[in-house]
Amino acid sequence: MTQDNVLCDIGFIGLGVMGNNLVLNLVDNGFSVAAFDLCKNKVQRIIEQDQAENITGTQRVYDSSSYAELLTQLKAPHLIILSVPAGDAVEQVCESLISAGIQTNAIVIDTGNSLWVDTVAREKKYKNHFTFFSSAVSGGEVGARFGPSLMPSGSFEAWSRIKPIWEAIAAKVDPETGKPLMRSKPGEIINSGEPCAAYIGPAGAGHYVKMVHNGIEYADMQIICESYHILSTGLGLNVNDIADIFEEWNNGLLDSYLMEITIEVLRHKSVDTNTPLVHLILDKAEQKGTGVWTAISSLDVGCPTPTITQAVYARSTSSFKTVRIKASKILKGPETIQLTAQEKQIQIEQLHDAIYCAKICAYAQGFQLMKLAAIEQGWSLDFTSIAKIWRAGCIIRATFLQSIVRAYNENSSLDNLLLDSFFAEQLNQRQLNWRKAICNATMFGIPNGALSSALSYYDSMRSETLPANLLQGQRDFFGAHTFERIDKLEGKKYHVQWSSTERKTVEIV
Ligand code: 6PG
């Protein structure tokens, strides 16, 4: 019990940036919180912050000095939210809660970027101690404070208890336009619109979906970065010109949160040098792992996600700065190309279409990966609902997602977004410009792996025949791996006796 004999609705563990803001979001929505962090200053900081922001005058965040005290401060059955780093920290907190006497009817929700298989294992591991539930959270610190996109999964019974809280704190979207209805001030709440929180499925499903969200996020970011590189190094535009172009695009088809923040980053000047900050930032990209996990999963599942995977490679390549510096001194690129203003304008328009097409392909890859993983795991993912909760709050939010909602609404079992008539039409109209943009970038000597891997994906997916016939022949030659024939019954296997003089084809029975 708190000093004021108040029992709180929620126990909250982990007051990093995300945790701190999720607590403030919870209390803004009327839930009282007992907060604990190993670092006492963070507990003190949030209590002070809540007092400063809280116009009602009632205390909403209470200090817990230990796991045991936290359990005494909560209404039964206990609901505890964790916002701790993914990995061992989650287990450490769970074990501490068990030692502190957590009750079996308690629910513990992990909101970190955990690896989905860890979540599956944890649900089993803790089932005799409490219900381990997970909810991926997207939206960064502002999302956490004013409305994130939430991807909960685990016991459905637990979800019925969590749902009203999650729907209250989630971002809201206008269902007709797909536009976010963002809160922006402490105390502000939005009661209209659709909440960006939906039950995803059994344990692990929510973190899997969030992992793919992050894979798409990597691709989206890399596509924008390659475009910046083409516009700056290829076309010789300055950051303000590029920001203006992006701003124009952001008012049209390419409208997205990532485009919006890119414009802000480009326009930002370093205070000390009064030059664009982007020119001062070291070009070595870091990563926390979710993109790599998506790429690994795509290989495991056997579902191509070349644009997402290429975005991960681009980050790794960027980290080879020393090698790149050495290579830049000895390896040649193409001659400099001089373009007229009109030619530049044409290339800018081609690039616009390339970004849009590559973006469609990145989403097509991500959604197909989720579909195939769901079949493997026995999850029944609702893709309309996933696209809906990504329209606001999360990092990949974009008006574009409204078209994905429509596509899955019309056909919930769509095999691939490229087969949707709207997206097919968009790609058909723009594919020529896309090809030209990639040729342009290649002739400038500018790496364009995300844009071009997407085009290669598009060309592969639209090819009725691929050279895998020859590949099967090669495999049969050196390894007697057999092949099927298009002129014979499906499923029948053949092998050529390559080392004999007759090279007879035999049917394998
Ligand atoms: C989100 C983000 C968030 C985080 C990424 C950063 O949806 O809110 O994806 O989860 O910013 O994990 O990932 P990297 O450090 O790997 O870029």
Side-chain angles (χ1 to χ4, degrees), residues 369-423:
L369 175 60
M370 289 191 285
K371 182 177 170 114
L372 297 186
I375 294 169
E376 227 176 74
Q377 298 303 321
W379 302 327
S380 63
L381 297 184
D382 177 343
F383 297 111
T384 311
S385 157
I386 291 170
K388 278 185 173 181
I389 62 169
W390 285 355
R391 290 174 302 175
C394 70
I395 302 296
I396 63 170
R397 63 183 179 264
T399 310
F400 171 81
L401 275 149
Q402 188 75 343
S403 303
I404 302 184
V405 171
R406 195 243 346 111
Y408 283 106
N409 238 339
E410 279 171 25
N411 179 3
S412 59
S413 55
L414 192 63
D415 282 323
N416 188 299
L417 269 180
L418 304 189
L419 298 176
D420 171 73
S421 56
F422 168 79
F423 285 116

Side-chain angles (χ1 to χ4, degrees), residues 116 313 364:
W116 68 279
Y313 284 144

Side-chain angles (χ1 to χ4, degrees), residues 113 137-140 210 213-214 217-218 286-290 315 395:
N113 261 338
V137 176
S138 178
K210 172 65 180 12
H213 163 283
N214 280 26
E217 170 185 307
Y218 274 48
E286 295 182 3
Q287 48 188 322
K288 294 204 192 73
T290 46
R315 292 196 188 193
I395 302 296

Side-chain angles (χ1 to χ4, degrees), residues 55-119:
I55 42 167
T56 64
T58 43
Q59 186 168 2
R60 311 181 301 180
V61 184
Y62 294 87
D63 169 4
S64 301
S65 56
S66 67
Y67 292 107
E69 192 193 2
L70 179 91
L71 295 178
T72 66
Q73 291 171 301
L74 304 180
K75 289 178 189 162
H78 300 162
L79 188 66
I80 299 169
I81 301 175
L82 313 186
S83 179
V84 299
D88 291 347
V90 178
E91 314 255 316
Q92 280 160 17
V93 172
C94 289
E95 298 299 335
S96 302
L97 285 168
I98 294 170
S99 305
I102 190 169
Q103 290 161 7
T104 50
N105 59 358
I107 299 172
V108 175
I109 312 170
D110 171 25
T111 62
N113 261 338
S114 294
L115 179 58
W116 68 279
V117 283
D118 289 349
T119 304

